[in-house]
Amino acid sequence: MAPIHVDESAGSDETGKGTPEAPYQTLAFALYSHPEGSYVIRKDASGTYEEPTQSALKKAKKGADGIEKKRKKAEELAEREAKEKAEARERKEKKLEESKKIVLQEDPSLPAAVKAKIGNLTPLRTKRVKVSGWVHRLRDQKEIIFIVLRDGTGYLQCILSGQVAQTYEALTLTLESTIEVAGTLKVVPEGQTAPGGHELVVDYWRVLGAAPGGEDAFTNRLNEKSDPSIQADLRHLVLRGETASATLKLRSALLSAFRSTLTAHDLTEVTPPCLVQTQVEGGATLFKLDYYGQPAFLTQSSQLYLETCLPSLGDVFCVQESFRAENSHTRRHLSEYTHLEGELAFITFDELMDHLESVICETVDRLLQDPTSAALIKQLNPGFEAPARPFLRLSYVDAIKWLNEHDIKHEAEDADGNVIKDEQGNPVMVEHKVGDDIAEAAERKMTDILARPVFLYGFPAELKAFYMKKMKSEGGHTFTESCDLLMPGVGEIVGGSMRIADEQELLAAYKREGIDAAPYYWFTDQRKYGTCEHGGYGLGVERFLAWLAKRYTVRECSLYPRWPGRATP
Ligand code: 4AD
């Protein structure tokens, strides 16, 4: 029989086989695994294999006995653990079996429970109440089950103990199941906390819709580590989370605060169509569709329709979805977004900016004055402070100067708009000059440095839409009465302008932009039948919310965000 090989430096007791190609590392292990063999050993590859000395063999024998002892011990431990596990399983099964015999009955001698939503429980403390909701959190501890119940109005800690916690439903309850609980609402004991400051001591409850456990359990489908694309596919489940639902609650409060503010400023809400046959913000971002055999688009902005409402309703606003076929995968672009737009008659450009500043600050004040929305802002954006007035007003030309003074450059582009790269493949960065679009990156740097809301105004006509009123011509550029409001962390949240009021000037603008005037007859008519100086704005609701709630992306601020390639769920 071939001797068992041991190499004390290169061998391995884990993977070795005792052969010259795969020697063991220790003589003890060689003895342990081949008690009947003969052995050769070397210190390392520089030495030769030799028979071990008697004393080495004696020492190794002791080592082998030790290994055997250890193995036996481990075997015993594994056996004991398996037995304990089996016993625990049996106990659990028995408990489960027994639990089926426990049938909860609502005690008719107790006072009738008042049905209530979680958000309205405070006045019902000490009373018996009935609440329905989803199991948001679940923990059992020494025969007591703690549930945090969620019903969209708030969270409620429920305590199940005694028989109530021993039913089959209690032992098999899963996260996200729907349940109805009845019991007495108690203020939490001193030194303990619970949402709302109270907890429900449950005396009767039932499962309304059990969610699956095991493989298909909620936390297996979605958790904090889930890939972003999975999170996007499971947006309907993401919405159940505390941050997503708080963001949507704040969005709702924001929209109603805006409505109250705008109504207080005598603007009337209108609801313009989404299906349109005119463009507002340039053909490149239009979603085209077949409309009974005719070309039509999803609206980019309701501005043109709002303008037609001025002679009828006076100043108006709308909260409408706008659509942009932009191939932008940035954190502030959506393909569909909620667009809050206003239009005001008989105003000047300065009055337009004053109005915008008032509407934004008063809306923020409303939210901070309301305890519910103030709490949501605090939860999502603890450091939020209402912006100071007046907002900084910086002309486009001064902004270009400012960017150059702060060494903020932009990527150079060739005549076709392609980024020019250097030999290493990095984009060539160049200084800004009048006529350049201020790109997102530069705009973001600027707002982050200024750290306050900024009106950028007076953009060159070539960068802006056809309908904008001209301000002045200088140095080969025509500037417009246009403004963007930039917010720290997000950048542009509002785009507004004064509109061309003169019919001939508007007709010339269509021509310059290569737009066929015919489909715009109704828009042109506004200049024909009693024109007026007027202006308006569009505010991206998701961008505003991203600023207010300090969200990383507008995708978090939309119920079901749409971006290039994504229209599900
Ligand atoms: O600057 P924009 O394109 O202006 C208009 O549409 C005007 N017709 C509005 C008007 O004067 N009535 O868009 C206005 C705002 C932007 O400032 C931005 O907040 C938002 O709409 N917005 C977007 N939000 C999310 N995703 C997009 N792709 C957006 N495009 C514009």
Side-chain angles (χ1 to χ4, degrees):
M1 208 168 73
I4 307 299
H5 285 68
V6 177
D7 181 328
E8 289 184 324
S9 65
S12 164
D13 291 348
E14 272 90 50
T15 57
K17 292 193 176 72
T19 60
E21 299 77 36
Y24 292 126
Q25 194 188 18
T26 64
L27 190 57
F29 192 79
L31 250 72
Y32 164 73
S33 18
H34 305 272
E36 304 299 329
S38 64
Y39 315 95
V40 287
I41 184 164
R42 68 177 182 190
K43 278 246 171 299
D44 52 45
S46 68
T48 50
Y49 279 110
E50 279 168 22
E51 276 183 27
T53 60
Q54 277 310 312
S55 72
L57 271 173
K58 210 164 151 194
K59 207 168 142 203
K61 177 79 180 76
K62 265 196 195 144
D65 291 349
I67 295 173
E68 172 62 12
K69 249 191 219 152
K70 245 195 211 152
R71 188 196 60 78
K72 264 211 182 117
K73 230 185 184 164
E75 200 178 272
E76 275 165 23
L77 188 74
E79 254 171 45
R80 205 167 53 237
E81 274 175 4
K83 203 170 144 213
E84 274 167 12
K85 255 194 199 149
E87 278 168 7
R89 205 178 314 123
E90 214 170 279
R91 267 201 309 276
K92 203 172 159 195
E93 269 163 27
K94 206 164 147 207
K95 202 169 156 193
L96 267 180
E97 226 22 70
E98 273 167 16
S99 72
K100 287 182 186 162
K101 291 182 213 143
I102 303 173
V103 181
L104 279 190
Q105 296 273 320
E106 194 164 0
D107 184 348
S109 71
L110 289 172
V114 184
K115 188 175 168 182
K117 293 272 184 204
I118 293 172
N120 302 332
L121 286 177
T122 304
L124 295 170
R125 284 176 179 179
T126 74
K127 301 264 183 331
R128 199 165 170 267
V129 298
K130 188 172 273 184
V131 181
S132 298
W134 287 260
V135 176
H136 186 65
R137 268 190 234 139
L138 180 63
R139 173 167 67 89
D140 67 81
Q141 198 180 316
K142 296 191 195 124
E143 315 273 304
I144 300 177
I145 298 176
F146 294 89
I147 296 171
V148 175
L149 198 66
R150 180 187 80 232
D151 75 349
T153 70
Y155 301 91
L156 173 67
Q157 174 154 293
C158 305
I159 297 177
L160 280 62
S161 63
Q163 277 235 319
V164 167
Q166 288 160 11
T167 61
Y168 185 74
E169 283 78 14
L171 300 182
T172 57
L173 188 60
T174 49
L175 283 177
E176 295 303 322
S177 294
T178 37
I179 60 173
E180 178 192 72
V181 287
T184 308
L185 189 67
K186 298 203 168 146
V187 175
V188 282
E190 188 96 28
Q192 290 179 24
T193 54
H198 43 232
E199 60 192 11
L200 191 73
V201 179
V202 176
D203 58 54
Y204 173 77
W205 72 288
R206 64 192 177 106
V207 172
L208 304 175
E215 274 287 284
D216 211 15
F218 189 86
T219 44
N220 276 350
R221 298 246 347 244
L222 178 75
N223 55 56
E224 267 140 39
K225 292 194 197 105
S226 298
D227 191 77
S229 78
I230 291 180
Q231 296 208 25
D233 284 341
L234 299 182
R235 176 76 180 155
H236 60 298
L237 302 183
V238 170
L239 295 180
R240 298 180 179 210
E242 285 169 32
T243 304
S245 62
T247 307
L248 291 179
K249 283 261 173 196
L250 184 58
R251 182 185 157 107
S252 163
L254 175 65
L255 287 176
S256 54
F258 264 129
R259 285 193 161 98
S260 303
T261 307
L262 290 162
T263 308
H265 280 263
D266 299 315
L267 276 74
T268 299
E269 181 168 6
V270 291
T271 50
C274 273
L275 288 167
V276 300
Q277 292 189 307
T278 44
Q279 61 162 49
V280 191
E281 297 299 324
T285 64
L286 280 175
F287 276 110
K288 296 188 179 63
L289 57 103
D290 176 77
Y291 189 72
Y292 303 105
Q294 284 182 32
F297 319 111
L298 292 176
T299 189
Q300 296 169 306
S301 157
S302 299
Q303 175 197 324
L304 308 192
Y305 292 95
L306 292 189
E307 289 188 46
T308 68
C309 296
L310 296 176
S312 163
L313 304 168
D315 301 345
V316 283
F317 77 97
C318 70
V319 181
Q320 171 69 287
E321 297 296 279
S322 276
F323 302 86
R324 302 283 168 106
E326 278 174 292
N327 201 13
S328 302
H329 293 258
T330 79
R331 53 192 170 113
R332 67 179 199 190
H333 282 92
L334 293 167
S335 303
E336 173 179 355
Y337 70 96
T338 304
H339 205 171
L340 187 144
E341 295 180 271
E343 196 69 29
L344 298 101
F346 308 110
I347 54 160
T348 63
F349 185 39
D350 274 334
E351 285 166 351
L352 175 67
M353 287 191 276
D354 291 343
H355 163 88
L356 256 167
E357 188 178 307
S358 300
V359 165
I360 285 170
C361 292
E362 288 167 29
T363 300
V364 167
D365 286 345
R366 271 174 209 277
L367 290 169
L368 291 175
Q369 275 154 20
D370 177 87
T372 309
S373 47
L376 290 167
I377 295 174
K378 200 162 178 117
Q379 175 188 345
L380 295 163
N381 186 3
F384 180 78
E385 271 176 38
R389 295 180 72 170
F391 293 172
L392 183 64
R393 294 182 188 187
L394 189 63
S395 79
Y396 164 86
V397 174
D398 287 342
I400 294 290
K401 267 192 219 142
W402 189 98
L403 288 170
N404 289 335
E405 278 161 18
H406 288 79
D407 204 29
I408 297 171
K409 297 188 168 155
H410 72 98
E411 294 173 350
E413 287 180 359
D414 64 18
D416 299 326
N418 300 314
V419 175
I420 303 170
K421 302 214 167 139
D422 64 14
E423 278 160 12
Q424 279 83 45
N426 298 318
V428 174
M429 302 303 286
V430 290
E431 276 209 335
H432 285 85
K433 58 179 191 320
V434 172
D436 285 344
D437 204 359
I438 301 176
E440 182 170 340
E443 188 189 281
R444 208 180 265 285
K445 279 185 198 148
M446 183 159 95
T447 43
D448 289 350
I449 294 173
L450 293 170
R452 54 183 287 203
V454 191
F455 273 120
L456 273 194
Y457 69 90
F459 291 91
E462 64 264 32
L463 298 180
K464 290 291 180 182
F466 72 94
Y467 53 75
M468 289 189 185
K469 193 180 167 193
K470 309 289 170 287
M471 188 159 67
K472 59 173 182 190
S473 290
E474 220 172 69
H477 293 279
T478 301
F479 298 94
T480 55
E481 287 193 333
S482 54
C483 62
D484 284 357
L485 179 61
L486 315 182
M487 289 302 203
V490 182
E492 181 198 331
I493 60 157
V494 182
S497 74
M498 294 301 288
R499 325 301 192 188
I500 295 173
D502 179 74
E503 186 185 355
Q504 292 312 314
E505 203 185 326
L506 182 64
L507 292 174
Y510 292 139
K511 214 178 209 157
R512 196 189 59 235
E513 298 290 323
I515 296 171
D516 176 12
Y520 291 82
Y521 68 92
W522 51 275
F523 183 66
T524 314
D525 270 353
Q526 300 309 308
R527 280 76 185 161
K528 197 163 164 183
Y529 298 98
T531 193
C532 67
E533 289 299 328
H534 65 289
Y537 54 90
L539 176 147
V541 171
E542 291 80 7
R543 288 193 187 179
F544 192 90
L545 187 57
W547 166 72
L548 181 70
K550 209 170 193 216
R551 296 297 93 200
Y552 178 72
T553 152
V554 288
R555 294 179 186 183
E556 288 179 72
C557 300
S558 166
L559 182 63
Y560 284 103
R562 268 78 180 97
W563 65 82
R566 167 69 56 183
T568 304

